[in-house]
Amino acid sequence: MPGKRGQIRTSAQKDKPYTVRVCPKQVSAPAQTMWTADEIALLCYEHYGIRLPKKGKPEPNHEWTLLAAVVKIQSPADQDCDTPDKPAKVTKEVVSMGTGTKCIGQSKMRKSGDILNDSHAEVIARRSFQRYLLHQLQLAATLKEDSIFVPGTQKGLWKLRGDLIFVFFSSHTPWGSSFSAGGDASIIPMLEFEDQPCCPVIRDWVSSSSVEASSNLEAPGNGRKCEDLDSPVTKKMRLEPVTAAREVTNGAAHHQSFGKQQSGPVSPGINSCNLTVEGLAAVTRIAPDSAKVIDVYRTGAKCVPGEAGDSGKPGAAFHQVGLLRVKPGRGDRTRSMSCSDKMARWNVLGCQGALLMHFLEEPIYLSAVVIGKCPYSQEAMQRALTGRCQNVSALPKGFGVQELKILQSDLLFEQSRCAVQAKRADSPGRLVPCGAAISWSAVPEQPLDVTANGFPQGTTKKTIGSLQARSQISKVELFRSFQKLLSRIARDKWPDSLRVQKLDTYQDYKEAASSYQEAWSTLRKQAFGSWIRNPPDYHQFKSVEKLSSMKPVPGAKKVGDCCSKEDFFVPRGLLL
C-alpha cells in the first residue's frame, strides 16, 4: 500500500496484490470496511496504467474514455490483532477491468454471437469478470490450484469462499458524462450556484421519440457505420467556457458531490416512474432552501417502449426518473439497455449470468460500488441501482435484492472527459470519446483483448466470421470457455441441470439454468416489465472450439469457413 494517498507503486510492486493493514476488532464487518473508496480507485488507476497496453487507450488531448473494474477483497478469517506487530491483512486485487464508450446499433447485431453489442466500460468489466469466474471454476473442478470457490452442499455445485467479496469500480456514474447513456443513475439534479466540474452543456431543447422495439433486426450488410454514442439530441449540443463558480450560500451539504459519499436509506417513493427530478429533490429534501434545483445532468439513453417517457421540457423537468432506458445510437438504434439498468439487474440476479449458475449454489453478488470523482448524486445512484427493485419478492432460493454499499472517491481518472478537457486547454480539434475498448481478465491465457466496433481491433470485413475475429468476451467465446470447462469434468460429476436433458445451443444452456431464469422472470414481472430482450434466434449459435482441442464434425468445412449456421466444431468431451 502506498505511504500516502495518490502515491503510485513502482513496477517491481505491480505483480503483488494490494494489502491494507487494519485491525478487524475496530469494525463490525471487516470485509466491507477494511478499505476506502480512494484505495479502490487508486488501485484501479494503477492497474490501468501498468497492466493495460497503450493500444486501445485514448489519444492524448484528443480522446477520453471510461474505466470500470472488479476488485477482489480477501479478509482474514481469524487473526489476532492484540498487538501492533500483528495487524490484520486485507488483500485487494483487480480481477477484471474494462474501458469503452460505445455500443453497436441493432442493424450490426449478429446471430453468431461473435460481436460485442455493448462495449461500455461497465459491461466490458463484467464480461471480463465472467471470464475470470470461468477460469476459477476450472481450477476448482480440476483441483489443480487454489480457487475462489469451495464445494457446495449439492452435487456438482460450488460457492464463493467466505473470506472474499467483490467491489465494482467505475470512473464515472453509469454511464458517462452529462450527455451520457448511463440511464437513471446519470439523471442528477443541478443546483443553482453549485460548482460545475466540466463545461456546462447548452442544448437546443428538442423532444426525442422512444426507441422502437423491432423484432426484425436484420439489415443489409452495407448498413451505416457503427454508431456513435451521440443521439440526435446530442448533435445539437455546444460547449461553453466554464464561468466562475459561486458557492451555495449557506454552505449546506447537498445531493450532488465531487467528493465521497456513503449509501444511506432509500427514501420512500423515489423509484416512482412518474416522478421528475425536480419532484425528487422536493421529496427527498436534497436541496437546501437557498439553492434551487434549476436543471439536471441529462442522459442520452432513451426510454424503452412501454415506459412513461420524458417530457422533454427545458430545465429540471426534462427527465422522468426510475425508467428503463436503452443506449442511443447515431441513426441506428441500439437494443442495449443502459448501464444503470444492467447494474440494477446484476444486484438481483448476480454478475455471473445464466451459464455459470449451472455450477453455482448461489449467485455472485457485488458487495459495493465505488464511483470515481465526477458529477454525482447519492440519491440517484441508490434509486437506479437498488431503489427500483426494493419491493421485488418471491425470488428463488439464493437470489435477493442486495443491500449494495455505494461510495464515491475523491480521485479523478486521468483519461476521463473532465480530466482531459481540463488539461487540453486551447488545444485544437474536438474532444471525442475513444472508439476502442479494452478488456483485461486475471486469467493465464490471453488476458488482454482490444476491440473496436464489437470486433478485435484490426478486424477487416474479409476476416469477420473467422476465429481470429472474435473477442475473448463475446458470447460465443464465453460459451466456448464454458464448454471447455464441461469437457474437463467427468459427466457423472456434472450438476443435475446439465445431465437431465440434451443441450445443444447457447440458448439451450441458458434456459436450462432454471433457478436463474425463474429469478429473471420474477424480476421482469415485478420491476422491469419493459426490458428489451433479443429474439431467441440471436442465441441459437453453437461453440466453435480452437483446433488444439477440437474434433471436427463430419462434413465440416475448413476452419476459415466454419462459422456458418450449419458448420461447427464441438469439444471432444461433448461428443456423445
Side-chain angles (χ1 to χ4, degrees):
M1 177 180 175
K4 297 181 181 179
R5 191 180 78 184
Q7 180 178 332
I8 303 298
R9 294 185 293 171
T10 64
S11 58
Q13 298 171 302
K14 69 179 182 179
D15 293 323
K16 296 180 180 179
Y18 212 94
T19 300
V20 181
R21 297 176 179 269
V22 295
C23 178
K25 291 184 178 180
Q26 298 173 351
V27 290
S28 58
Q32 297 190 35
T33 55
M34 285 183 172
W35 48 269
T36 67
D38 282 355
E39 288 169 351
I40 296 294
L42 180 59
L43 175 64
C44 294
Y45 295 158
E46 286 182 341
H47 191 97
Y48 174 84
I50 295 172
R51 291 292 186 89
L52 268 60
K54 184 176 180 181
K55 180 182 179 182
K57 289 182 177 178
E59 182 183 333
N61 295 321
H62 177 62
E63 295 180 328
W64 57 272
T65 194
L66 298 170
L67 176 69
V70 176
V71 177
K72 179 184 73 175
I73 298 183
Q74 180 178 356
S75 60
D78 293 296
Q79 271 204 22
D80 187 3
C81 274
D82 290 339
T83 66
D85 298 332
K86 294 182 179 180
K89 294 182 179 180
V90 179
T91 302
K92 304 199 306 297
E93 179 185 1
V94 175
V95 295
S96 76
M97 180 167 281
T99 71
T101 64
K102 304 285 185 179
C103 59
I104 65 169
Q106 63 183 26
S107 69
K108 300 293 183 182
M109 293 172 62
R110 290 168 57 84
K111 295 182 179 180
S112 50
D114 59 355
I115 190 171
L116 296 177
N117 297 334
D118 189 340
S119 294
H120 285 202
E122 297 93 331
V123 176
I124 295 291
R126 185 252 186 169
R127 297 187 72 82
S128 302
F129 182 51
Q130 290 177 318
R131 200 176 166 216
Y132 165 77
L133 293 177
L134 275 164
H135 173 66
Q136 290 295 317
L137 277 170
Q138 183 173 311
L139 293 180
T142 56
L143 304 176
K144 287 185 177 179
E145 300 178 35
D146 288 340
S147 169
I148 63 172
F149 295 110
V150 293
T153 58
Q154 300 178 51
K155 180 180 179 180
L157 299 186
W158 302 83
K159 62 182 181 180
L160 187 67
R161 279 171 26 196
D163 60 339
L164 300 176
I165 66 167
F166 294 104
V167 174
F168 192 87
F169 173 77
S170 178
S171 61
H172 206 288
T173 52
W175 171 90
S177 63
S178 54
F179 47 96
S180 77
D184 208 45
S186 295
I187 304 174
I188 302 172
M190 187 184 296
L191 299 187
E192 187 178 30
F193 304 147
E194 76 179 347
D195 292 347
Q196 299 305 313
C198 294
C199 295
V201 176
I202 309 299
R203 289 178 188 261
D204 295 325
W205 300 107
V206 296
S207 58
S208 182
S209 59
S210 297
V211 174
E212 296 179 1
S214 171
S215 59
N216 180 17
L217 303 185
E218 293 296 307
N222 295 326
R224 291 187 59 168
K225 196 173 182 179
C226 201
E227 91 315 325
D228 213 313
L229 281 178
D230 303 329
S231 66
V233 175
T234 304
K235 296 176 186 177
K236 295 179 175 289
M237 294 178 179
R238 61 188 179 90
L239 296 178
E240 298 291 349
V242 178
T243 56
R246 292 173 288 175
E247 296 180 357
V248 176
T249 54
N250 64 358
H254 55 78
H255 70 289
Q256 184 187 314
S257 171
F258 229 48
K260 292 181 282 187
Q261 294 190 34
Q262 295 193 36
S263 59
V266 178
S267 302
I270 66 171
N271 58 332
S272 168
C273 290
N274 295 319
L275 188 64
T276 64
V277 174
E278 192 169 30
L280 173 65
V283 169
T284 58
R285 302 181 185 278
I286 55 179
D289 293 339
S290 58
K292 184 173 64 174
V293 175
I294 59 170
D295 210 334
V296 287
Y297 286 92
R298 287 167 178 79
T299 174
K302 308 303 178 186
C303 298
V304 302
E307 295 284 358
D310 294 320
S311 70
K313 297 177 181 178
F318 185 85
H319 281 306
Q320 296 282 353
V321 299
L323 305 180
L324 290 174
R325 297 173 182 271
V326 291
K327 293 166 182 173
R330 176 172 288 174
D332 189 10
R333 299 288 193 179
T334 82
R335 294 180 65 86
S336 297
M337 301 298 293
S338 75
C339 287
S340 296
D341 297 336
K342 289 185 177 183
M343 292 181 70
R345 175 181 170 176
W346 304 342
N347 197 49
V348 179
L349 303 184
C351 289
Q352 75 294 320
L355 286 184
L356 285 174
M357 274 309 298
H358 283 293
F359 285 102
L360 297 175
E361 199 162 78
E362 53 194 26
I364 304 297
Y365 288 113
L366 300 169
S367 294
V369 171
V370 174
I371 302 298
K373 189 174 183 180
C374 65
Y376 181 87
S377 165
Q378 189 71 22
E379 287 78 10
M381 286 291 294
Q382 288 176 324
R383 177 190 71 235
L385 302 190
T386 63
R388 294 182 292 172
C389 300
Q390 62 184 344
N391 296 322
V392 173
S393 60
L395 290 163
K397 182 181 178 181
F399 290 87
V401 182
Q402 303 302 296
E403 295 181 2
L404 190 65
K405 192 177 186 70
I406 304 173
L407 303 167
Q408 188 185 26
S409 167
D410 277 330
L411 304 182
L412 181 66
F413 179 43
E414 66 179 3
Q415 292 190 316
S416 67
R417 176 176 174 265
C418 290
V420 176
Q421 187 167 280
K423 286 188 295 185
R424 73 193 302 263
D426 297 326
S427 299
R430 292 177 59 230
L431 179 61
V432 297
C434 180
I438 305 175
S439 160
W440 181 91
S441 300
V443 297
E445 297 180 10
Q446 294 182 270
L448 277 165
D449 198 43
V450 181
T451 57
N453 296 330
F455 292 111
Q457 199 170 47
T459 299
T460 64
K461 217 172 196 180
K462 189 175 181 179
T463 59
I464 288 177
S466 68
L467 295 176
Q468 294 73 29
R470 293 188 337 206
S471 165
Q472 295 294 319
I473 57 172
S474 62
K475 287 187 180 74
V476 71
E477 277 296 295
L478 290 178
F479 186 34
R480 181 192 67 82
S481 297
F482 174 81
Q483 291 189 322
K484 183 178 179 181
L485 171 63
L486 274 181
S487 70
R488 296 189 177 185
I489 302 174
R491 189 178 179 86
D492 60 353
K493 294 183 179 180
W494 285 6
D496 291 341
S497 61
L498 294 173
R499 289 191 295 113
V500 296
Q501 54 187 313
K502 183 178 180 180
L503 305 173
D504 189 26
T505 66
Y506 178 72
Q507 179 74 8
D508 291 340
Y509 280 91
K510 283 171 63 74
E511 290 297 326
S514 56
S515 63
Y516 182 92
Q517 295 302 338
E518 181 185 347
W520 180 211
S521 177
T522 300
L523 179 59
R524 290 199 309 274
K525 289 176 182 177
Q526 297 185 27
F528 291 158
S530 300
W531 192 282
I532 292 181
R533 303 178 71 194
N534 293 327
D537 56 341
Y538 277 79
H539 291 157
Q540 294 299 328
F541 55 86
K542 303 177 185 180
S543 171
V544 182
E545 253 288 13
K546 304 296 184 185
L547 283 177
S548 60
S549 60
M550 295 307 303
K551 182 176 181 179
V553 172
K557 301 176 185 178
K558 61 183 181 180
V559 174
D561 301 325
C562 70
C563 289
S564 67
K565 293 180 181 178
E566 297 81 13
D567 301 315
F568 298 98
F569 286 93
V570 295
R572 293 180 186 273
L574 293 184
L575 286 176
L576 303 179

